């Protein structure tokens, strides 16, 4: 009763406390954010106004005229002389030489600067306020070399060329506003921040000097920040994005916030509030901080120093969470009162409820052990007494069920023993060796066939490890052990609830006694040499009894004779490959050899000497081609010869191939049509491509009779050169279309062809990046289409040969 009553009470109190705490935090956070945004906006306007008023000084025509004259003098002067002069001037400034100081602090340029500073030159509404004049610690002008030209203060450096603010403001003569972060100034002996504005020439093209103004950070920001406070400790402060304090009523200027975790939380580029791990003022308790960036000022500081300025609203954790602590106290008091009431009610109810329940609990334990002999007696006159009666009836039914279960268990035990004996008899009668292992590779069972295979007596291997009787090399042993582990993983996955289909796909299990054992797996070298016999093996998981480790089975099949037969077949395949090579050489040499014979006969009949030279030249070319074929087939072609490709004009090669066929074939009765379009050359070897054309034209001629037509054409489309060779012969039957490029396939009669011509054509086309396909209808002719990638765009029709 205590738990039932206290748990909802505690949950309700905790949820109420957390919700109230959340709402208080959100209200405070939103208030802090609003205060930060308003204060940041005002300070942003103050600094922008100060920057605008200071910039008006840089627009004074007299200041511009004096600095332009100074620029011209420096540009026309000698650099070495100027350097010596600068050293003397620097020394005089340090020694505070009155003659040297007077032109700088009391000269015309200084008086103009003083007039703007005092407001005697500027209009009343554009003059500096008393606060900013009071906070100004330095106001001076430098020339294009960073040398001091005029100043209303004396505690300033004479040369400023190497100062970061001068480099940023001058910006290589381009000029830009530079707002420097707060830092300690040794000359002024205080923390300052500075505003530097370039002075542009009269046409606004080039910077001719820099106006630099340094402010006391504490004195400048205090009127805008220190006056804002709330509660006892609440106030606002100004920091940069690196956590450096620019102004704070409590923390010293220039100090970095101690807890670095707070800095990224309160310096984003947007206003907001955030819970923080500490208060940023040395406290370690969590706090709430409102923040906002100064948009206009931050744009200048980002360009100048890479940092931004942020307004930071803070209140001490003790004061901030005071209302929450009071709420927690009241909730705790209310919880204590409620807890006392629950204890009182629980003690009253215990005597009537808890004691009978404990008696029931003790009786239930006895029932679980089967030791309850006496019925439970409870006289409360309510539901608990009824429950006791039901427990007594349940006990009687359980005793009866236990007697029936014992009888059923004895029957099932006999069935299991029968199944074990039957399984053993089946395995003993299997002619293939079968071995059972446990997860540690110990042998638990070997059937007689496996004992005979290993030459062991009955029971001699039981208890030994598998690799004590199976002698293999280290690599094979590691492979077998890895396979055993894989089988174990598959078994574990099957027990983890995977579907039957997934288990079969993962383990690839089947009947281990199947006669088609490892022949399909010989590619994975799943064979073992045992006593000069070759066995294929396979693993299979064996379901273990509950509580026992898994078991793994190994089944072997003697494949000695099959392996030897496979070796003989492999040798025969090598001899067949040698026959293919020989036939290929003969076929490739036949075509150029016929050409040699044809040209030789033409020489015998020719009387024209020049024509005889042309025929002789063709014979030499065919001889070189035959030599190249022999080198190609025997692997003697040097590697670099394959790289020497040339630009091949397919129109010319097609024309020459037709002439060669006309010399060796009887084609006067054929109607030959040609359509050679302007095409670009391709990369290749002319002899190879011409020979491929000869083979295709010869096949076309041999497939036709008198009166048929032969078409040869070329065209160029989208970067591809297409060659078309079409005959009107008897065509190729549809069942043979997919076989025309296979080695030794031919539809000619015995002795008319070797069936290698088209095979060599496809090899040549693919060798030079092309493709070939055949289209044919039986009785209507055949078309061969070859495509090659072009080397460059084709010539015009006027330029085409």
């Amino acid at each position: 009763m205590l738990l039932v009553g206290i748990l909802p009470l505690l949950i309700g109190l905790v949820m109420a406390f957390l919700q109230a705490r959340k709402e208080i935090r959100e209200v405070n956070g939103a208030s802090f954010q609003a205060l930060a945004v308003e204060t940041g906006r005002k300070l942003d306007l103050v600094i922008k106004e100060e920057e605008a008023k200071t910039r008006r000084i840089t627009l004074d025509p007299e200041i511009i005229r004096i600095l332009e004259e100074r620029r011209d003098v420096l540009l026309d002067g000698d650099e070495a002389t100027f350097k010596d002069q600068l050293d003397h001037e620097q020394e005089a400034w340090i020694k505070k030489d009155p003659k040297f100081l007077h032109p700088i602090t009391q000269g015309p340029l200084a008086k103009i600067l003083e007039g703007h500073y005092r407001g005697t030159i500027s209009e009343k509404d554009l003059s500096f306020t008393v606060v900013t004049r009071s906070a100004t610690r330095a106001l001076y002008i430098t020339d294009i070399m960073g040398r001091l030209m005029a100043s209303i203060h004396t505690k300033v450096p004479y040369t400023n060329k190497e100062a970061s603010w001068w480099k940023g403001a001058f910006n290589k003569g381009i000029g830009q506003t530079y707002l420097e972060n707060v830092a300690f100034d040794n000359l002024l002996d205080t923390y300052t921040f500075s505003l530097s504005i370039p002075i542009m020439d009269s046409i606004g093209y080039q910077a001719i000097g820099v106006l630099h103004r340094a402010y006391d950070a504490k004195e400048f920001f205090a009127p805008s920040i220190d006056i804002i406070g709330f509660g006892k400790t609440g106030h606002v402060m100004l920091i940069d994005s690196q956590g450096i304090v620019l102004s704070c009523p409590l923390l010293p200027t220039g100090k970095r916030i101690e807890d670095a975790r707070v800095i990224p939380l309160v310096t984003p580029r947007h206003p907001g509030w955030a819970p923080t791990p500490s208060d940023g003022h040395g406290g370690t308790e969590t706090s709430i901080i409102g923040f906002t960036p100064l948009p206009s000022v931050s744009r200048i500081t980002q360009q100048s120093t890479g940092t931004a300025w942020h307004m930071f609203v803070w209140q001490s954790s003790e004061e901030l969470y005071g209302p929450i602590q009071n709420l927690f106290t009241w909730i705790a008091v209310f919880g204590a009162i409620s807890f006392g009431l629950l204890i009182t009610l629980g003690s009253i109810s215990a005597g009537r409820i808890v004691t009978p329940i404990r008696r029931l609990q003790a009786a239930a334990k006895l029932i679980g052990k089967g030791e309850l002999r006496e019925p439970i007696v409870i006289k409360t006159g309510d539901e608990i007494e009824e429950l006791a009666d039901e427990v007594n009836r349940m006990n009687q039914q359980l005793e009866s069920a236990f007697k029936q279960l014992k009888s059923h268990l004895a029957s099932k035990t006999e069935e299991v023993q029968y199944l074990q004996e039957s399984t053993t008899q089946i395995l003993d009668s299997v002619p293939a060796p079968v071995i059972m292992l446990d997860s540690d590779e110990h042998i638990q069972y070997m059937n007689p066939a496996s004992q005979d295979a290993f030459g062991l007596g009955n029971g001699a291997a039981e208890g030994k490890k598998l690799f004590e009787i199976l002698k293999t090399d280290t690599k094979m042993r590691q492979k077998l052990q890895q396979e055993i582990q894989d089988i174990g993983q598959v078994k574990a996955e099957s027990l983890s609830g995977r579907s039957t289909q997934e288990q079969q796909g993962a383990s690839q299990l089947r009947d281990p006694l199947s006669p088609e054992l490892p022949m399909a797996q010989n590619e994975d070298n799943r064979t073992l040499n045992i006593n000069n016999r070759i066995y294929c093996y396979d693993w299979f998981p064996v379901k273990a009894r509950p509580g026992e480790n898994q078991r793994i089975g190994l089944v072997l099949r003697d494949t000695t004779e099959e392996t030897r037969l496979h070796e003989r077949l492999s040798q025969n395949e090598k001899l067949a490959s040698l026959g293919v090579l020989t036939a290929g050489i003969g076929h490739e040499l036949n075509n150029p050899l016929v050409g040699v014979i044809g040209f030789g006969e033409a020489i015998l009949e020719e009387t024209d000497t020049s024509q005889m030279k042309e025929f002789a030249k063709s014979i030499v070319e065919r001889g070189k081609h035959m030599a190249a074929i022999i080198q190609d087939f025997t692997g003697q072609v040097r590697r670099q010869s394959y790289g020497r490709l040339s630009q091949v004009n397919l129109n010319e090669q097609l024309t020459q191939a037709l002439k060669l066929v006309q010399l060796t074939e009887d084609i006067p009765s054929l109607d030959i049509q040609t359509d050679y379009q302007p095409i670009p050359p391709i990369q290749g070897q002319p002899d190879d491509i011409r020979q491929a054309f000869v083979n295709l034209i010869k096949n076309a001629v041999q497939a036709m009779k008198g009166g048929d037509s032969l078409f040869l054409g070329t065209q160029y489309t989208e970067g591809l050169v297409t060659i078309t060779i079409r005959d009107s012969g008897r065509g190729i039957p549809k069942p043979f279309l997919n076989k025309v490029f296979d080695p030794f396939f031919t539809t000619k009669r015995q002795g008319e062809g070797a069936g290698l011509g088209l095979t060599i054509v496809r090899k040549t086309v693919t060798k030079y990046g092309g493709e070939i396909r055949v289209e044919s209808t039986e009785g209507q002719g055949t078309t061969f289409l070859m495509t090659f990638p072009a080397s460059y765009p084709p010539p015009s029709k006027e330029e085409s040969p």
Side-chain angles (χ1 to χ4, degrees):
M1 290 182 64
L2 290 177
L3 289 177
V4 171
I6 291 175
L7 189 59
L9 176 64
L10 290 178
I11 293 176
L13 294 177
V14 170
M15 291 183 63
F17 173 74
L18 294 178
Q19 182 64 25
R21 185 174 183 269
K22 178 183 178 182
E23 291 181 0
I24 292 174
R25 290 177 59 184
E26 290 179 352
V27 169
N28 288 338
S31 300
F32 289 178
Q33 175 184 341
L35 181 58
V37 170
E38 182 62 20
T39 307
R41 184 185 64 82
K42 292 180 179 179
L43 184 59
D44 196 44
L45 291 175
V46 169
I47 297 176
K48 283 296 294 179
E49 182 180 2
E50 187 67 15
E51 188 267 344
K53 291 178 179 180
T54 304
R55 182 177 296 277
R56 290 184 61 85
I57 300 177
T58 65
L59 302 178
D60 189 291
E62 186 62 19
I63 295 177
I64 295 174
R65 183 189 64 77
I66 295 173
L67 289 177
E68 284 181 336
E69 292 177 355
R70 175 61 181 175
R71 176 197 60 188
D72 297 340
V73 171
L74 292 175
L75 293 178
D76 294 338
D78 180 58
E79 183 176 354
T81 303
F82 172 73
K83 185 176 180 181
D84 292 340
Q85 181 183 355
L86 184 61
D87 292 340
H88 291 300
E89 293 175 350
Q90 173 76 9
E91 183 178 357
W93 176 262
I94 294 173
K95 293 180 178 180
K96 303 301 179 183
D97 186 350
K99 294 182 179 180
F100 184 75
L101 263 63
H102 186 270
I104 295 176
T105 59
Q106 301 296 327
L109 194 56
K111 290 182 179 180
I112 296 173
L113 194 61
E114 180 75 20
H116 282 288
Y117 174 71
R118 299 296 180 187
T120 58
I121 296 179
S122 303
E123 298 178 9
K124 185 177 181 180
D125 56 339
L126 298 177
S127 60
F128 297 113
T129 63
V130 176
V131 173
T132 57
R133 287 204 304 269
S134 176
T136 302
R137 293 292 179 268
L139 179 63
Y140 55 91
I141 297 174
T142 68
D143 60 13
I144 61 173
M145 301 303 292
R147 192 180 71 169
L148 188 65
M149 290 291 293
S151 174
I152 63 175
H153 302 87
T154 57
K155 289 185 178 182
V156 295
Y158 185 73
T159 58
N160 301 274
K161 189 175 183 179
E162 300 302 322
S164 58
W165 62 262
W166 191 90
K167 292 180 180 179
F170 192 71
N171 194 22
K172 299 180 181 179
I174 300 174
Q176 69 173 9
T177 302
Y178 189 94
L179 186 59
E180 193 174 28
N181 278 340
V182 171
F184 189 79
D185 192 314
N186 294 321
L187 288 177
L188 301 176
D189 194 27
T190 187
Y191 279 95
T192 64
F193 75 95
S194 64
L195 175 64
S196 303
I197 301 176
I199 302 174
M200 307 303 291
D201 59 15
S202 56
I203 61 174
Y205 175 74
Q206 185 181 28
I208 55 176
V210 175
L211 174 64
H212 181 72
R213 188 172 185 179
Y215 300 89
D216 185 310
K218 184 68 175 177
E219 190 172 346
F220 183 87
F221 294 122
S224 300
I225 294 177
D226 290 359
I227 61 173
I228 300 175
F230 52 93
K232 296 180 180 179
T233 59
H235 65 275
V236 297
M237 58 185 291
L238 183 65
I239 63 172
D240 64 13
S241 55
Q242 295 179 350
I244 304 299
V245 176
L246 306 182
S247 179
C248 177
L250 300 181
L251 297 178
T253 301
K255 178 181 176 62
R256 182 182 177 87
I257 295 177
E258 294 181 0
D259 191 347
R261 297 173 298 172
V262 176
I263 298 173
L265 296 176
V266 300
T267 56
R269 295 184 178 181
H270 56 81
W273 65 274
T276 57
S278 64
D279 59 14
H281 286 64
T284 57
E285 297 181 0
T286 59
S287 183
I288 297 176
I289 295 175
F291 52 82
T292 184
L294 276 63
S296 300
V297 173
S298 294
R299 281 194 293 270
I300 300 175
T301 57
Q302 284 283 3
Q303 295 177 355
S304 303
T305 61
T307 60
W309 289 9
H310 299 264
M311 191 60 66
F312 182 128
V313 177
W314 171 87
Q315 190 175 27
S316 67
S317 300
E318 292 80 3
E319 186 177 2
L320 179 64
Y321 291 112
I324 298 177
Q325 297 297 334
N326 294 335
L327 175 64
F328 179 77
T329 301
W330 280 106
I331 290 177
V333 171
F334 178 76
I337 295 173
S338 302
F339 183 71
L341 292 175
L342 288 173
I343 291 178
T344 302
L345 293 174
S347 62
I348 295 173
S349 303
R352 187 170 180 84
I353 299 176
V354 177
T355 301
I357 292 296
R358 287 180 178 174
R359 291 181 61 188
L360 287 174
Q361 182 183 13
K365 291 181 180 178
L366 293 175
I367 292 174
K369 297 177 181 179
E371 298 176 355
L372 184 63
R373 300 291 181 263
E374 300 294 333
I376 306 170
V377 180
I378 295 177
K379 300 296 182 180
T380 58
D382 55 13
E383 291 83 356
I384 298 179
E385 182 178 348
E386 295 177 2
L387 178 61
D389 295 338
E390 292 295 332
V391 171
N392 289 329
R393 283 192 291 271
M394 180 186 67
N395 184 44
Q396 294 173 0
Q397 294 174 0
L398 287 176
E399 288 179 352
S400 176
F402 283 151
K403 291 178 182 179
Q404 296 177 4
L405 181 61
K406 289 179 181 179
S407 175
H408 185 69
L409 180 61
S411 174
K412 291 298 180 181
T413 302
E414 292 178 358
E415 292 181 8
V416 171
Q417 291 175 350
Y418 169 74
L419 291 175
Q420 288 179 339
E421 293 174 359
S422 300
T423 302
T424 302
Q425 292 175 359
I426 293 172
L427 291 176
D428 288 345
S429 63
V430 171
V434 179
I435 303 173
M436 300 291 181
L437 309 172
D438 62 12
S439 57
D440 296 326
E441 302 174 5
H442 287 96
I443 297 174
Q444 294 185 339
Y445 169 80
M446 293 182 69
N447 70 345
S450 62
Q451 295 174 4
D452 294 340
F454 286 94
L456 301 173
N458 187 19
E462 291 186 7
K464 294 184 179 181
K465 284 200 169 186
L466 174 64
F467 296 104
E468 292 181 11
I469 65 171
L470 179 59
K471 307 298 182 181
T472 61
D473 56 28
T474 303
K475 184 176 180 181
M476 188 62 183
R477 179 173 180 174
Q478 292 175 350
K479 178 177 180 293
L480 293 174
Q481 289 175 334
Q482 182 61 43
E483 291 174 352
I484 292 174
Q485 294 178 5
D486 293 342
I487 290 293
Q489 292 176 358
V490 170
K491 182 65 176 176
E493 291 175 357
S494 67
L495 295 176
S496 65
R498 297 171 61 188
S499 66
T500 303
Q501 183 176 1
E502 290 175 340
Q503 296 169 22
Q504 292 176 351
S507 60
Q508 299 180 351
L509 300 180
R510 54 177 173 77
D511 182 6
L513 302 180
S514 171
E516 299 183 5
L517 255 173
M519 287 305 295
Q521 298 175 356
N522 283 344
E523 297 177 359
D524 298 332
N525 195 23
R526 298 177 67 84
T527 60
L528 294 171
N529 292 318
I530 303 174
N531 293 334
N532 298 323
R533 303 290 293 177
I534 300 174
Y535 290 87
C536 288
Y537 69 90
D538 198 7
W539 303 97
F540 59 93
V542 180
K543 188 174 182 179
R545 296 177 182 176
E548 294 183 357
N549 293 331
Q550 64 180 13
R551 302 168 66 193
I552 300 171
L554 173 63
V555 62
L556 306 171
R557 186 165 73 88
D558 190 344
T559 59
T560 305
E561 299 304 326
E562 296 177 10
T563 303
R564 292 172 181 170
L565 177 61
H566 178 73
E567 292 176 353
R568 290 196 295 271
L569 291 175
S570 177
Q571 183 65 24
N572 292 338
E573 289 178 357
K574 293 179 181 178
L575 294 176
S577 299
L578 182 60
V580 172
L581 177 63
T582 304
I585 295 175
H587 184 280
E588 281 293 283
L589 291 178
N590 181 65
N591 289 330
L593 184 59
V594 169
V596 170
I597 295 172
F599 283 120
E601 292 175 349
I603 290 176
L604 293 176
E605 299 176 358
E606 184 63 50
T607 59
D608 187 358
T609 305
S610 61
Q611 188 63 40
M612 292 174 65
K613 289 183 179 181
E614 289 295 325
F615 290 158
K617 182 178 178 181
S618 298
I619 291 174
V620 172
E621 290 179 354
R622 299 302 174 277
K624 291 181 179 179
H625 183 49
M626 292 167 66
I629 292 172
I630 295 173
Q631 290 178 341
D632 191 15
F633 272 99
T634 57
Q636 296 177 359
V637 179
R638 293 175 295 177
R639 184 181 302 175
Q640 59 268 28
S641 66
Y642 288 104
R644 291 199 289 269
L645 302 180
S646 59
Q647 302 285 341
V648 180
N649 189 314
L650 296 183
N651 287 341
E652 294 180 356
Q653 299 304 322
L654 199 58
T655 301
Q656 294 180 14
L658 179 61
K659 290 181 180 178
L660 290 175
V661 175
Q662 288 173 336
L663 291 174
T664 59
E665 300 291 335
D666 185 16
I667 60 173
S669 60
L670 297 179
D671 179 17
I672 300 176
Q673 302 176 6
T674 60
D675 182 13
Y676 298 157
Q677 299 292 328
I679 59 174
I682 70 168
Q683 289 287 337
Q685 294 181 348
D687 291 343
D688 287 352
I689 297 174
R690 183 170 59 252
Q691 186 61 48
F693 291 164
V694 169
N695 289 346
L696 290 174
I697 296 173
K698 184 180 290 185
N699 276 2
V701 170
Q702 293 174 354
M704 294 186 293
K705 299 178 181 178
D708 290 337
S709 62
L710 173 66
F711 174 79
L712 306 177
T714 62
Q715 66 177 0
Y716 173 77
T717 306
E718 297 181 355
L720 295 176
V721 177
T722 302
I723 311 300
T724 303
I725 299 178
R726 181 171 60 246
D727 65 69
S728 60
R730 55 181 178 270
I732 301 173
K734 187 175 182 180
F736 298 157
L737 277 177
N738 294 330
K739 301 179 180 180
V740 295
F741 295 110
D742 294 346
F744 303 110
F745 175 79
T746 180
T747 59
K748 300 176 183 177
R749 290 175 295 180
Q750 184 70 24
E752 292 184 356
L756 289 174
L758 294 181
T759 302
I760 296 172
V761 168
R762 183 173 65 175
K763 176 183 175 183
T764 302
V765 172
T766 57
K767 178 180 179 181
Y768 300 115
E771 295 181 357
I772 182 171
R773 70 178 188 273
V774 59
E775 300 174 354
S776 179
T777 302
E778 189 172 1
Q780 298 183 10
T782 303
T783 302
F784 285 92
L785 299 170
M786 291 170 284
T787 58
F788 294 91
S791 296
Y792 48 82
S796 62
K797 289 189 176 181
E798 292 74 9
E799 297 173 349
S800 177

